[in-house]
Amino acid sequence: MSAPLFLALMLPYRWRVPAMGWMVSRIIAPLAGYDKRVRENLALVWPELPQTEIDRLARAVPDNFGRTLIEIYSGATFKRHVAGTDLTGPGVPALEEACRTGRPVILVSGHFGNHDSVRATVTRKYGDVGALFRPLDNIYFNRHWEKALSGIATPVFPRGRRGLAAMVKFLRGGNIIALLIDQHVQDGAKLRFFGHPARTSLAAAEMALKYNALLLPAFGVRSPDGITFQPTIQNPIPHSSAEEMTQAFNDRLEAMTRQHPEQWFWVHRRWKKDR
């Protein structure tokens, strides 16, 4: 994937995004089996979809993934591209109130649309937004990846004990962090997603309860033009138990995915059977 990324970066921004979407959906996805995974997941949890829609999603999902990947890898260029974008949604007043009073905020999202369009938009108006990232094995590639993520918003924390500790310290200081919790976690809680058991991390809800943080579902919805966004902040998830709060997020993400099915990353192995 690194070679296509660097080739795409040589193009002007408005060309590189659709070009990378085309490359991933037409070339990389069939070779890597992404389109097959999309079909398998849809057959499991959304079997009533007509075949024409399944065929569309098998191509549209990798296209969105390719666009998102090159957008994030564009770093500061991507941030400049969304500079004129405004936050929408009923949760914006709650975010503003938390920032005014110094209450910690956790923006919780999934691999939907482009999640970093929210991070870039929030940081422009409300200050730093911390995020966890998984360091890549290739040192050179990882250096470029971390620089790109930092170009969108800072600070970024590598996954691991030290990175997590630094992120928690940042959150406790009354700051904003952004987390993605829509992937399978082996020791996660067995919650529901699209009507099927899906192991899900409770970490975001647990931190919200422990540090009295506002838990705000946030989604960067890709516009029909394929290159602009509508970053949306939903109403806060009320504090209850970590399981109930995380299930509430799964329900919100499912609702968004049903509205824009091509924008969620159906390639994930989200519904793994317990070992």
Side-chain angles (χ1 to χ4, degrees), residues 106 108 132 159 164 167-168 171 177 179-181 185 187-189 191 199-211 213 215 242-243 245-246:
I106 301 175
V108 63
L132 277 176
R159 285 187 180 180
L164 181 60
M167 186 189 70
V168 168
L171 175 68
I177 65 170
L179 297 175
L180 305 180
I181 61 167
V185 176
D187 58 351
L191 304 179
R199 292 281 182 182
T200 311
S201 171
L202 301 178
E206 289 171 344
M207 284 191 289
L209 292 170
K210 186 173 183 179
Y211 304 115
L215 190 64
E243 289 82 1
M245 295 168 70
T246 308

Side-chain angles (χ1 to χ4, degrees), residues 75-215:
T77 303
F78 171 66
K79 185 177 181 179
R80 289 192 296 271
H81 174 71
V82 300
T85 305
D86 292 322
L87 286 176
T88 62
V92 173
L95 173 61
E96 292 178 341
E97 175 66 12
C99 293
R100 186 183 66 81
T101 60
R103 184 182 182 185
V105 175
I106 301 175
L107 300 174
V108 63
S109 192
H111 294 78
F112 177 94
N114 187 328
H115 47 275
D116 264 1
S117 67
V118 176
R119 204 165 62 100
T121 306
V122 171
T123 195
R124 190 180 74 244
K125 186 172 182 180
Y126 300 103
D128 292 340
V129 179
L132 277 176
F133 77 99
R134 184 175 67 85
L136 305 177
D137 295 333
N138 184 295
I139 295 176
Y140 174 75
F141 195 61
N142 182 70
R143 189 181 300 123
H144 198 291
W145 181 241
E146 186 172 355
K147 180 181 178 181
L149 292 172
S150 298
I152 297 172
T154 56
V156 293
F157 307 101
R159 285 187 180 180
R161 185 173 299 177
R162 288 186 178 181
L164 181 60
M167 186 189 70
V168 168
K169 182 179 179 181
F170 179 75
L171 175 68
R172 291 174 61 187
N175 296 301
I176 307 170
I177 65 170
L179 297 175
L180 305 180
I181 61 167
D182 64 331
Q183 289 180 282
H184 173 87
V185 176
Q186 186 61 39
D187 58 351
K190 187 182 285 188
L191 304 179
R192 308 289 291 181
F193 187 53
F194 276 84
H196 287 255
R199 292 281 182 182
T200 311
S201 171
L202 301 178
E206 289 171 344
M207 284 191 289
L209 292 170
K210 186 173 183 179
Y211 304 115
N212 190 33
L214 193 66
L215 190 64

Side-chain angles (χ1 to χ4, degrees), residues 44 184 186 197-199 269-275:
L44 174 67
H184 173 87
Q186 186 61 39
R199 292 281 182 182
R269 296 184 184 276
R270 187 66 183 96
W271 295 273
K272 288 184 181 180
K273 293 182 179 180
D274 290 345
R275 295 176 182 173

